[in-house]
Amino acid sequence: MRNLAVSYAGPGKVEVVDTPYPEFVLKDGPGVNPANVGRKVDHGVILRTIATNICGSDQHMVRGRTTAPEGLVLGHEITGEVIEVGRDVEFVKVGDVVSVPFNISCGRCRNCKERKTGICLNVNPDRPGSAYGYVDMGGWVGGQAEYVLVPYADWNVLKFPDREQAMEKILDLAMLSDIFPTGFHGAVGAGVGVGSTVYVAGAGPVGLAAATAAQLLGASAVIVGDLNPDRLAQARSFGCETIDVSLGDPAEQIEQLLGAPEVDCGIDAVGFEARGHGGDSATEAPATVLNGLMDVTRAGGSLGIPGLYVTGDPGAVDEAAKVGSLSLRFGLGFSKSHVFVTGQCPVMMYNRGLMEAILADKVSIAKNVGATTISLQDAPRGYAEFDEGAAQKFVLDPHGLIGG
């Protein structure tokens, strides 16, 4: 059976290619860890993909800023319908419509049993943690495809309670695989609660999801900073205050909004390709956001860091940054007794509660992040427009099941 998929074709390029239909075994291919080749996946299911999203994390690879090999099938944000179940699957059934956490976990190891599913010990032979279609994550095939294999299905998938209701809200529910839980994790890590003042660095989809999460958690003021006027306008569209960091460091602009240059909670939704502030905004400076957050977060506050940082960046600005070593003002964070919460979001910690909030009309995450449906064949255009700074979250619709 045909299985069209989106593949990394070298720096700045993606292409739609014909790939093998999934089987209940992990086969060799671009990015697959040799120790995983031949791994049986009788505990898995095969999905017909309903929605699979383009993520900023994918863009890091497509820009050539990781060690991802050419030919890697992309995509870790997956929502789909179960069409085949493996021999050992007990509870998930054909016809179920499900959300798939981007981080693959086994449900059996110590970390999974502690709900630390972003650092599962059994799915990646190289290090804790795994994801679909991502560099150095074990080689599980990506989900920007017509069909995808999901391992440990009884544990991993989140079943929507009603198919018809799910399809009515599918664009919102499609955000449960990554960016909504990831943004929420950033807000929780930053200690957002009722009455909090919050600064979110970055108005891309994860930053907008973090801002939405901060509102859901009861923040009194949510300020979003970015260089992109369209993305800042998107943040304002659902009630956020905004600052343009190309005009200078955030502290002065935050003081104009709040009467004080500090906030209770800081969230980094930018990651390792950060640029400088003010006159340096055209220059990459990977520690800018982290140092800026330490500056504007009050003593005793917390920093949630869902923005991606990597251990290998061949396009970095210096040799230290190529291995993830950044010039942090850690002494500042120490002197202010900051808490830093980093790492992959453990999606399963949040996705069920956020699903219920969506189904109960308590939040409109798709609208807030500018969700825009395109065909799988249009993926190269979506990647290009997203890379140019479009204030949109592109959702691929491989089978025309979403429409609009």
Side-chain angles (χ1 to χ4, degrees), residues 52-72:
T52 177
N53 315 331
I54 297 174
C55 181
S57 299
D58 298 321
Q59 286 285 20
H60 292 305
M61 290 189 290
V62 172
R63 291 183 188 126
R65 297 299 299 268
T66 72
T67 56
E70 292 186 18
L72 182 73

Side-chain angles (χ1 to χ4, degrees), residues 15-86:
E15 57 186 16
V16 178
V17 298
D18 199 350
T19 63
Y21 182 81
E23 298 179 36
F24 292 107
V25 61
L26 193 56
K27 297 191 173 181
D28 198 8
V32 178
N33 190 301
N36 261 350
V37 174
R39 184 170 182 161
K40 295 188 184 211
V41 193
D42 294 321
H43 43 67
V45 297
I46 295 172
L47 302 185
R48 177 173 65 157
T49 306
I50 294 174
T52 177
N53 315 331
I54 297 174
C55 181
S57 299
D58 298 321
Q59 286 285 20
H60 292 305
M61 290 189 290
V62 172
R63 291 183 188 126
R65 297 299 299 268
T66 72
T67 56
E70 292 186 18
L72 182 73
V73 174
L74 300 168
H76 55 270
E77 300 189 21
I78 306 163
T79 308
E81 177 189 7
V82 177
I83 59 171
E84 291 187 50
V85 298

Side-chain angles (χ1 to χ4, degrees), residues 176-257:
L176 291 173
S177 57
D178 183 354
I179 66 164
F180 198 12
T182 293
F184 199 87
H185 182 58
V188 170
V192 178
V194 174
S196 298
T197 57
V198 184
Y199 174 57
V200 181
V206 169
L208 297 174
T212 302
Q215 292 176 336
L216 198 59
L217 289 164
S220 61
V222 180
I223 303 168
V224 180
D226 204 291
L227 302 159
N228 183 316
D230 292 336
R231 290 182 171 181
L232 291 174
Q234 185 67 26
R236 289 192 296 273
S237 74
F238 60 96
C240 299
E241 301 286 351
T242 60
I243 61 175
D244 183 344
V245 297
S246 70
L247 302 178
D249 288 332
E252 183 177 338
Q253 296 181 68
I254 289 173
E255 184 170 23
Q256 292 172 358
L257 291 168

